[in-house]
Amino acid sequence: PETKHPTYFQSIGLPLEAPLLAVLEKNGWNHKDAPVFVQSFEVSNLQAIRKLSSVRLVQLVAPSGRPYDFLAQGAANTRAYADLITPEGLKQVANYANAVGPFKTLVVPVKDGVPGEPTPLVAQAHAAGLAVHIWTLRPENAFLPAGLKKAPIT
């Protein structure tokens, strides 16, 4: 599961963490060997879950922008997703998560419509002790680099 908008739900008195962990516990999946990976684009909710559970966690990372919980902290936290995927950032992520989940172009960039050479992100994540889970791989032409698009099958 991916937690959606955890800072917002926290702000209206409906935190997601305890109900999520209760459902996992009820089904025998609130442990590190469960067939579950809890994912989030925010950081603080994953850190909160880590304090309560050993379930595997994935820090999702977008190619631009900032985690919303960082934005909500204002000037106290100006870090961006790019800061989370530096070697030092990955070490910090490894303190609470089991994996990093980058968008595909952070691993294999696209240049001139074709996939380029892989970045060092996977090796750097592994060096920090993190697995890597790419998110949203879609084979539809709208989501493919120009060099990989194909005519529709009729």
Side-chain angles (χ1 to χ4, degrees):
E2 176 189 341
T3 61
K4 298 281 192 177
H5 312 294
T7 296
Y8 168 74
F9 285 106
Q10 180 76 30
S11 77
I12 63 169
L14 296 171
L16 304 173
E17 297 79 18
L20 172 61
L21 292 176
V23 169
L24 292 176
E25 185 67 34
K26 179 180 176 185
N27 289 283
W29 288 0
N30 188 11
H31 57 87
K32 67 180 176 144
D33 297 319
V36 172
F37 292 88
V38 176
Q39 307 174 89
S40 183
F41 281 101
E42 295 187 29
V43 174
S44 56
N45 73 310
L46 291 178
Q47 291 170 329
I49 292 169
R50 175 53 65 229
K51 291 177 183 174
L52 302 171
S53 176
S54 64
V55 69
R56 292 177 288 183
L57 304 176
V58 180
Q59 177 63 66
L60 297 174
V61 180
S64 63
R66 301 172 57 201
Y68 183 76
D69 54 331
F70 289 6
L71 284 170
Q73 294 168 18
N77 191 344
T78 59
R79 293 178 297 159
Y81 286 118
D83 297 309
L84 297 179
I85 58 172
T86 65
E88 183 56 37
L90 291 165
K91 288 177 191 172
Q92 292 172 3
V93 169
N95 287 322
Y96 62 88
N98 304 89
V100 63
F103 186 67
K104 62 190 173 189
T105 59
L106 292 171
V107 174
V108 178
V110 174
K111 184 174 182 184
D112 299 325
V114 296
E117 290 297 315
T119 70
L121 179 55
V122 172
Q124 291 169 343
H126 289 169
L130 294 165
V132 178
H133 292 220
I134 305 291
W135 53 270
T136 313
L137 294 171
R138 296 178 70 177
E140 298 98 32
N141 279 338
F143 301 99
L144 291 172
L148 296 178
K149 293 181 181 187
K150 300 203 185 250
I153 299 172
T154 57

